[in-house]
Amino acid sequence: MLTACGTGGLGAGGTSAGEHSITVLMVNNPQMLELQELTEEHFTEKTGIEVNFVVKVEQDMRDTASTEFANQSGIYDVATLSNFEIPYYAEAGWISDMESIANDPEFDQDDILPPMTEALSANGKVYGQPFYGESSFLMYRKDLFAKHGIEMPAEPTWEQVAGFAAKINEAEPDMRGICLRGLAGWGDNLASITTVVNTMGGTWFDEDWNAQVNKGGFKKAANFYVDLVREHGEAGAATFSFPQCLNAMQQGKVAMWYDATSGAGSLEAAESPVKGKVGYVAAPHDQTQNAGWLYTWAWAIQKASRHQEDAKEFVAWASSKEYEELVMADTEHDTGGPTNVPAGKRASTYENPEYLEVAGSFATPTMNAIKNAQADNPGVQKRPYNGIQFVGVPSFTDFGTECAKQLSSAISGSKTTDAALDRCQSLAQEYGDVQKEKQ
């Protein structure tokens, strides 16, 4: 989907739109669409800054941002980028720092959850401000677990989860034990699989950039994941990502779902068929204590933008406590209301009684998952890169995507997991050899 729309004409101060106008490139998530609804009345009319939104599906948005920021053409003043892109965009000099926002007492940077600030910083400076953030955890049907006498620990292991999935499959013939991402993509199936790799002792590369994909903990984790989803996961798993698993959970087709913490808001929404029936516990682990990922859609300002101050004013508003309160109070739009607050970034959100009234069942597990995510040390060994569910280097979008396709094929049954990993090993080592030459 591609939409573009302005949000205002003359500003409150009588300033012409042309003098104070910014263009924002963003992904078409519901939280972003709510932002479009609220911007003109609550930002443009107060500041005189017109905001033109260009909204695209995720991959199109990523491709556009990559080309635009690399060329520094200045067409887009602000873009939604993630904690994957922002550190190396900063290193490349493509984006402006946000130190002035971070040092503004009214913005209250200390309220931003520390893992988010750290993930959006480079060389000691803040280069991005989160719009919303997430980790991953396990969602399960607590009513069915109680029915069958299964007790879910607060911090389950993957071995326990596999056992629970098997029991549910046997006890509930019309239900599958668990939904896991199988759709090919470095941000889809590979995100989930890599968190399992980390906790089962694997890594993409050792400290010397030797690929470790078809051996040790990586091989154990990939085979475990593929076997679990094929034996007890959803039918057609190779085509399932977040939306499909969310729908399966809401429709009572699966008993557990391991995915983003942001899924909880939809499960607990007023119209959800499973509202009040779902429990939330930490991401399953194995050799590490914590295993959840860390992700945020955040704002970045292009270095070539000619509207730096206007762009910073927009970012500060969109990531503010004030904006979260606007969403919480918005009952006019389908994308508003407490369960649609762009949470996962501010500690104060989890102290707000109005938010806790509707998010009480998942608020604390969500905040704990984000706080415990360790982007610089997610596994059991040192590694030459940052990132939990990804390898924090630009080329990961290439070799990661190709490897994701290989593992999706294993999930569909068209090739063995070991054969998929052998191909992934070759792809990863090609990148590792490039890094060795740079050392």
Side-chain angles (χ1 to χ4, degrees), residues 76-106:
Y76 300 105
D77 302 287
V78 178
T80 48
L81 298 177
S82 74
N83 52 316
F84 171 71
E85 290 102 346
I86 283 179
Y88 73 82
Y89 275 38
E91 294 283 353
W94 297 346
I95 55 179
S96 302
D97 73 67
M98 296 190 183
E99 286 294 289
S100 61
I101 298 175
N103 292 325
D104 182 350
E106 186 174 344

Side-chain angles (χ1 to χ4, degrees), residues 261-279:
T261 53
S262 57
S266 297
L267 295 177
E268 300 299 335
E271 69 277 9
S272 172
V274 295
K275 174 180 168 56
K277 298 179 180 178
V278 181

Side-chain angles (χ1 to χ4, degrees), residues 20 41 64 66 81 116 143 185 208 219 237 255 259 318 341 348 408:
H20 290 283
E41 179 181 354
T64 301
S66 177
L81 298 177
M116 291 294 166
D143 56 331
D208 299 318
K219 184 175 183 177
D259 212 298
V341 167
S348 58
S408 188

Side-chain angles (χ1 to χ4, degrees), residues 306-326:
R306 292 173 297 173
H307 309 98
Q308 293 285 326
E309 294 308 311
D310 290 345
K312 289 177 181 176
E313 190 163 354
F314 169 77
V315 168
W317 173 74
S319 291
S320 68
K321 300 174 189 175
E322 172 194 353
Y323 178 75
E324 289 192 0
E325 291 170 358
L326 283 173

